[in-house]
Amino acid sequence: YVAGELPEAAATYRRRALGGEPRARYNHGTALLALDSLEPARPPLDEARRAPDAEVRWRAHFNLGLVAL
């Protein structure tokens, strides 16, 4: 993601998100958002906003707001 290889990052985070880890779901949604794939970004971000980690929840809510713009 940081290297700018967004399609590869999205694919990697998608595979990791299949395990159910909220941060991986957040990362997958954020990578899709960066690719301007707004509707596909919504489900993983929506799932991440229910994470036990408050920071992941906050960031997921924030990015869902960006999806809505």
Side-chain angles (χ1 to χ4, degrees), residues 1 4 8-11 13-14 17-18 26 28 31 34-35 39 49-50 58-62 66:
Y1 182 84
E8 294 83 1
Y13 291 137
R14 181 178 185 279
L18 294 175
Y26 164 77
H28 179 222
L35 285 166
E39 285 309 309
R49 73 182 175 85
R50 293 186 289 276
W58 184 88
R59 290 174 180 271
H61 276 281
F62 182 87
L66 294 176

Side-chain angles (χ1 to χ4, degrees), residues 13-38:
Y13 291 137
R14 181 178 185 279
R15 285 190 299 276
R16 290 180 184 170
L18 294 175
E21 205 279 310
R23 187 171 296 272
R25 290 179 176 163
Y26 164 77
N27 287 336
H28 179 222
T30 300
L32 290 170
L33 179 62
L35 285 166
D36 207 25
S37 296
L38 302 181

